[in-house]
Amino acid sequence: MKRTLPHLAFILFIAGILCMCPLAPVQAQTWTDDGTLSFLLEVNGVSAAESNATAPIPVNLTDDLDLELTVQAFQNLTIHAMTFVIEYMGIPLSPPQEQAVNTAIPTGVPIELVNSSIPLGSMPEFEVLSLLSGTIRFEVTVIYSLLSNPGTNISLAEDFVLQIGATGPAAIMSVNGLITLGFTVMAVFSLLMALDEFQQGILAARKMRGAARGSDVGIFPAAVVLRRRPKTDGELISKDDLVRRVSDAAGRSWDHGRCPKCGKKWKKDAVVCSKCGIDETTAVKFFSEDIAEYAPRAMKVVKPKSKVTVGSFSKKLKLKPAKGGALAAALTDMGIFQTRSVKVPLMKVALAGMTIAGFYWSWLQILSGATPSLLDSLLYAAAGLVISVVVAYFMNFMARVPKLGYD
């Protein structure tokens, strides 16, 4: 036997559908409303009110941008004009564009005010942007006045975000992606190199700290800064005194890597050279006499009123670090040089930290569609600079050294 729904059930089902119809939204898209004027701005079929940094509208700059503007008034009013602003990284790509409308809008009647396509590819503002990836911010402002108060203009604005170019990791291959990547890598590399220099400076300061004279240190580390006072008539160097002082400095921390006479590798814990047979005391004396020959040139490398690191001092004299450090210690003991600091890269740390922080927003824009302004980037760069300077000066405090020489 064939069964059918009872007539009453069918009638109730239809009635339920009819009751639900008024509950459905009249407009599927989100409108922009100030209580007097309501408008729906659709960009490529998407409501501008639903587009923001987290939901940008993807576009291809070689295609046209479809714009539709429908307005509905709750009081009789006149729309005078619309203005358009286009920004990239918070920087206007062109002066605000204004389009006259001068259209009366009666109450309660939706009117399609704009239905057109914008050829983005032919706009001069987008010629450069076609090579980039990121977000562009548009703002549309409707200027109107009420018929009851025609002398007062009212503005109602809505903005939306367009996503241009590739997104995610692929965006790194765009022009601004490669530039951002290059500057970030250089900043990170510079920061790592600067921190390594700081570590060398701190270790050098630790070796210098507590010494009363150069010979207490032995061989000066490469990061130590040598100073020379204005030239005086009393700056005479006795070779015998210099050899004695170099021997005193070298004897405390002589590099046993190779024999200073024949160059043969000095075996660990050996008291004589396995090739030429000189003992350790003779090796230190030979080492010192060899260094003493460089004293006249050392006076030219560190000129009066100048500052030179021990590492640079050794390179200019073409000496190994151990020999250059021993000569610097001896000349400091003789009152020719003075040391009161080590080289620390304060500026490198500050600039690297500022650059890394400044490009934070650029990365967010390229990879996740953020819409930062230039001010956001500048504020982050300033914060990175402040933090980097504080860190650098703390490390500089850790690299403090006693004053040696001149006295």
Side-chain angles (χ1 to χ4, degrees), residues 40 46 88 148 195 215 218 224 235 251 264 268 275 329 371 392 399:
L40 173 63
V46 179
Y88 179 77
S148 60
L195 293 177
S215 58
V224 175
E235 281 191 332
K264 176 70 175 179
K268 187 177 180 181
K275 183 177 181 180
T371 56

Side-chain angles (χ1 to χ4, degrees), residues 7 180 195 261 300:
H7 294 293
T180 302
L195 293 177
K261 182 178 180 180
K300 296 179 180 180

Side-chain angles (χ1 to χ4, degrees), residues 218-240:
I219 296 176
F220 279 1
V224 175
V225 176
L226 301 175
R227 301 169 183 260
R228 189 176 171 194
R229 60 186 168 188
K231 189 175 182 180
T232 62
D233 296 335
E235 281 191 332
L236 299 176
I237 299 177
S238 167
K239 183 175 180 179
D240 293 338

Side-chain angles (χ1 to χ4, degrees), residues 211-364:
R213 55 180 183 171
S215 58
D216 293 338
V217 180
I219 296 176
F220 279 1
V224 175
V225 176
L226 301 175
R227 301 169 183 260
R228 189 176 171 194
R229 60 186 168 188
K231 189 175 182 180
T232 62
D233 296 335
E235 281 191 332
L236 299 176
I237 299 177
S238 167
K239 183 175 180 179
D240 293 338
D241 187 24
L242 179 61
V243 170
R244 180 180 61 80
R245 291 180 183 274
V246 171
S247 298
D248 193 14
R252 293 177 180 272
S253 52
W254 173 55
D255 182 7
H256 290 74
R258 293 188 177 276
C259 174
K261 182 178 180 180
C262 65
K264 176 70 175 179
K265 186 175 180 180
W266 198 285
K267 293 183 179 180
K268 187 177 180 181
D269 299 329
V271 294
V272 296
C273 175
S274 60
K275 183 177 181 180
C276 63
I278 63 171
D279 58 21
E280 188 172 352
T281 302
T282 307
V284 171
K285 183 178 179 181
F286 189 95
F287 177 86
S288 305
E289 290 176 346
D290 180 50
I291 293 175
E293 301 296 332
Y294 288 86
R297 288 178 55 195
M299 303 291 285
K300 296 179 180 180
V301 168
V302 186
K303 298 179 180 179
K305 297 184 180 180
S306 67
K307 296 188 294 184
V308 178
T309 64
V310 172
S312 178
F313 173 78
S314 301
K315 288 181 180 178
K316 290 180 179 180
L317 291 177
K318 297 182 180 180
L319 288 173
K320 292 183 178 180
K323 291 185 177 181
L327 178 59
L331 292 174
T332 300
D333 274 355
M334 297 177 71
I336 305 299
F337 297 153
Q338 185 187 70
T339 65
R340 55 187 182 192
S341 64
V342 295
K343 182 183 178 182
V344 287
L346 286 171
M347 188 62 68
K348 289 182 181 179
V349 172
L351 292 178
M354 180 183 70
T355 303
I356 293 173
F359 276 97
Y360 170 79
W361 277 112
S362 297
W363 279 114
L364 286 186

Side-chain angles (χ1 to χ4, degrees), residues 89 175-188 351-367 372 374 376-382 384:
M89 287 289 291
V175 173
N176 59 326
L178 292 174
I179 292 175
T180 302
L181 178 63
F183 274 99
T184 304
V185 169
M186 286 191 295
V188 171
L351 292 178
M354 180 183 70
T355 303
I356 293 173
F359 276 97
Y360 170 79
W361 277 112
S362 297
W363 279 114
L364 286 186
Q365 186 203 30
I366 293 171
L367 298 178
L374 183 60
D376 294 328
S377 297
L378 292 177
L379 287 176
Y380 267 69

Side-chain angles (χ1 to χ4, degrees), residues 20-51:
M20 292 175 63
C21 287
L23 300 178
V26 177
Q27 299 134 354
Q29 300 275 38
T30 302
W31 287 55
T32 301
D33 193 339
D34 66 356
T36 302
L37 175 67
S38 178
F39 70 78
L40 173 63
L41 175 63
E42 293 181 280
V43 184
N44 289 351
V46 179
S47 172
E50 298 172 353
S51 171

